[in-house]
Amino acid sequence: MIWVGVLITKKYKAQAVLFLGGMVLMLIAVYTNLGEILPEKERTGIMFFDMFEFIKKTLSSRAAGLGLNIMAVGGFARYMEHIGASKALVKLTINPLRKLKSPYIVMSAAWVIGMTLGLFINSASGLAMLLMVTVFPILIQLGVSRLSACAVIATTLCMDWSPGDTGSLLAAQISGMSITTYWTQYQVPTALCVMVVVAILHYFVQQWFDKREGHVHVALTAEELEKDKETMENLPPALYAVLPTIPLFLILFFSDIWVSWGKADDALEIFKWFATIPFLQWLATIKMDIVKAMLISLFIAMVVEYIRKRNAKEVMEGIQSFFDGLGMQMANVVTLIVAGETFARGLQSIGAIDAIIKGSQNMGFSGFGMVLVMVAIIGFSAIIMGSGNAPFFAFAALTPTVAAKMGLAPVLMIMPMHFIASIARNLSPITAVIVVTSSLGGISPFDLVKRTAIPMVGAAITMLAANYILFH
């Protein structure tokens, strides 16, 4: 594990390292009689080939199920960028900020808006780039320092809480529930608690830092103002802001959550009433999934594009951006998930996970104590590696086994592991969102993480407390 971590820290390709690490562990397990690679019925006849048989089976199942969901989400996000809908959504949501006058209230409000936009724009660095050319100039003009503005923007997606996020999709599958249930019943309540705390922390922390460092308001240069003006003008019609929200609307509208909430023993009277409405009962029978929602939304977006441009050839050529997004997700995310599962299989084969569990039990750790152990491992790894996905995907596959042996529901372990990965990456000066934001803001990434540290530690503590209080 240390060897794998060192290589990834040195910027070796994460997928290759995890694949190799998992294979080495499998070989060690077999030659030392600690475990096996595949059950007897699934073996190829040659032990060396068994490793590749495991990878083939895992890749096949992931590409057809979870991988297809992830690729569809990535393709749709890429198409939204191509037609300018993502920028239109950001412009529409940040316009009210211009009417507020208090710099630090605007700053905190901008963070809340950024977190909300994260439901529709799943890339932390992509969202940060959009906010740096829209929200950043507003904050600077109001008198907020560059460091404070960048700290808020860099942390706007400190929790990957979108139902279209790759980690959310994986976590829901590992938890054995639909993404709708996982998102509405677990992610949203936890994220709302964190949002309140972090918004307040940003308000006080950034203001305190600015005063301590003697910040003096410096207006934007003429070049920066002109760039801001061009960004806000060269956008599609405001209607395009609705397009990125269509998948979420479809997933929530055509689901059984309205009826299932009403059937719960402790349901509020209004939800019990919802469950009796024939229309909502009919909606619960309609089958809607991630892939279907993305394809329907893509079709609607292309129709809108044609109405706007009246150029069928150009509109049809634009679908290539969707296909490019599919390929990027397959190359970058799905392969990382499979590599992580290979590494996890190696750890299981040599008995490392059983050893960690027994050690934790001997030290008197409860189920929640084991959650803290897993969160600490992933959080530390995310800071060192500069990536939240790599450590989360490496350990996510182990969650059902660990949770079962500790007497926990898998969701109570996987959700904190998922959230800490995205929170902790904002404490690393080498992670993409920090590098992008500091570069565009003209500041040092090391100075930036000093500003993000307190709000992110607060986010981690609040997330763990909410998980324990709300669901244990």
Side-chain angles (χ1 to χ4, degrees):
M1 288 174 65
I2 293 173
W3 176 67
V4 165
V6 168
L7 290 183
I8 294 178
T9 303
K10 291 184 175 181
K11 301 300 180 183
Y12 281 70
K13 187 67 175 177
Q15 285 95 324
V17 173
L18 290 171
F19 274 128
L20 183 59
M23 292 166 68
V24 169
L25 290 171
M26 290 178 193
L27 291 174
I28 293 173
V30 172
Y31 280 113
T32 56
N33 294 319
L34 289 172
E36 57 187 23
I37 299 173
L38 291 173
E40 189 172 351
K41 291 182 179 180
E42 298 179 15
R43 292 174 188 169
T44 62
I46 298 178
M47 183 270 296
F48 182 72
F49 290 173
D50 287 349
M51 297 185 297
F52 298 97
E53 177 68 11
F54 172 81
I55 295 172
K56 185 205 79 172
K57 286 180 176 294
T58 306
L59 182 59
S60 177
S61 64
R62 288 306 188 206
L66 175 66
L68 186 58
N69 288 338
I70 292 171
M71 288 187 286
V73 170
F76 182 73
R78 186 69 177 267
Y79 187 72
M80 289 296 99
E81 292 177 12
H82 171 72
I83 65 176
S86 296
K87 290 183 179 179
L89 176 62
V90 172
K91 178 186 177 182
L92 179 69
T93 53
I94 62 99
N95 271 342
L97 294 181
R98 297 177 180 272
K99 299 178 181 179
L100 299 174
K101 300 301 180 183
S102 175
Y104 295 97
I105 290 179
V106 173
M107 182 192 68
S108 293
W111 183 84
V112 173
I113 289 174
M115 274 289 288
T116 306
L117 288 172
L119 291 173
F120 315 106
I121 303 171
N122 301 144
S123 167
S125 53
L127 177 58
M129 284 190 283
L130 288 174
L131 295 177
M132 283 300 292
V133 296
T134 51
V135 173
F136 182 76
I138 296 174
L139 297 179
I140 298 301
Q141 287 173 336
L142 288 174
V144 173
S145 72
R146 286 178 175 268
L147 276 170
S148 292
C150 287
V152 166
I153 290 171
T155 58
T156 44
L157 199 50
C158 69
M159 295 179 73
D160 293 328
W161 69 309
S162 167
D165 173 67
T166 56
S168 296
L169 294 171
L170 177 61
Q173 184 177 80
I174 288 174
S175 301
M177 59 183 66
S178 70
I179 184 61
T180 307
T181 302
Y182 176 69
W183 185 68
T184 56
Q185 296 186 16
Y186 292 93
Q187 279 194 312
V188 170
T190 304
L192 291 178
C193 294
V194 173
M195 286 172 69
V196 172
V197 172
V198 175
I200 293 172
L201 284 175
H202 268 308
Y203 177 82
F204 288 105
V205 169
Q206 307 311 332
Q207 195 169 187
W208 179 80
F209 267 111
D210 283 353
K211 288 181 179 178
R212 193 188 74 161
E213 296 174 5
H215 166 64
V216 177
H217 174 45
V218 178
L220 290 173
T221 64
E223 182 181 350
E224 289 173 321
L225 287 171
E226 184 62 27
K227 185 178 180 181
D228 175 42
K229 184 179 178 181
E230 290 178 4
T231 301
M232 300 303 286
E233 288 179 351
N234 298 329
L235 292 175
L239 174 64
Y240 274 55
V242 177
L243 298 179
T245 70
I246 293 176
L248 181 60
F249 172 79
L250 290 174
I251 292 168
L252 294 178
F253 190 70
F254 294 104
S255 73
D256 62 353
I257 58 171
W258 315 105
V259 175
S260 62
W261 284 352
K263 292 181 178 179
D265 294 335
D266 57 348
L268 298 175
E269 288 300 321
I270 188 171
F271 290 131
K272 291 180 179 178
W273 177 71
F274 280 163
T276 64
I277 300 175
F279 177 68
L280 293 180
Q281 292 176 344
W282 173 74
L283 286 180
T285 66
I286 305 298
K287 305 300 180 184
M288 179 61 64
D289 54 47
I290 290 285
V291 177
K292 200 182 297 126
M294 295 301 162
L295 293 176
I296 293 171
S297 302
L298 173 67
F299 174 77
I300 294 172
M302 291 185 70
V303 171
V304 173
E305 267 284 90
Y306 175 73
I307 293 173
R308 175 192 173 201
K309 295 184 174 179
R310 300 290 180 175
N311 187 328
K313 183 178 181 181
E314 181 182 347
V315 171
M316 290 185 180
E317 286 179 350
I319 199 174
Q320 184 61 43
S321 62
F322 176 79
F323 299 142
D324 290 341
L326 293 180
M328 287 180 62
Q329 293 301 309
M330 180 66 187
N332 297 322
V333 179
V334 178
T335 55
L336 184 56
I337 291 174
V338 175
E341 291 196 56
T342 303
F343 180 62
R345 181 61 174 232
L347 290 174
Q348 287 177 310
S349 297
I350 64 169
I353 302 307
D354 287 337
I356 292 174
I357 293 171
K358 289 179 181 178
S360 299
Q361 290 173 333
N362 291 336
M363 293 174 66
F365 283 1
S366 61
F368 186 70
M370 193 63 203
V371 171
L372 295 179
V373 171
M374 298 301 289
V375 163
I377 292 172
I378 292 177
F380 178 75
S381 300
I383 295 172
I384 298 299
M385 297 177 186
S387 167
N389 282 344
F392 174 65
F393 290 155
F395 289 98
L398 303 171
T399 305
T401 302
V402 178
K405 292 187 177 182
M406 299 302 294
L408 278 178
V411 66
L412 301 184
M413 181 169 286
I414 194 68
M415 186 176 68
M417 290 166 59
H418 175 213
F419 276 160
I420 197 63
S422 50
I423 290 172
R425 73 181 174 214
N426 293 288
L427 296 172
S428 173
I430 61 173
T431 197
V433 66
I434 295 294
V435 172
V436 165
T437 306
S438 59
S439 176
L440 293 175
I443 59 175
S444 163
F446 294 94
D447 290 336
L448 180 55
V449 293
K450 293 177 183 177
R451 294 294 193 102
T452 63
I454 296 176
M456 291 304 95
V457 170
I461 294 172
T462 306
M463 179 270 294
L464 290 168
N467 181 60
Y468 184 80
I469 294 171
L470 295 177
F471 309 119
H472 277 71

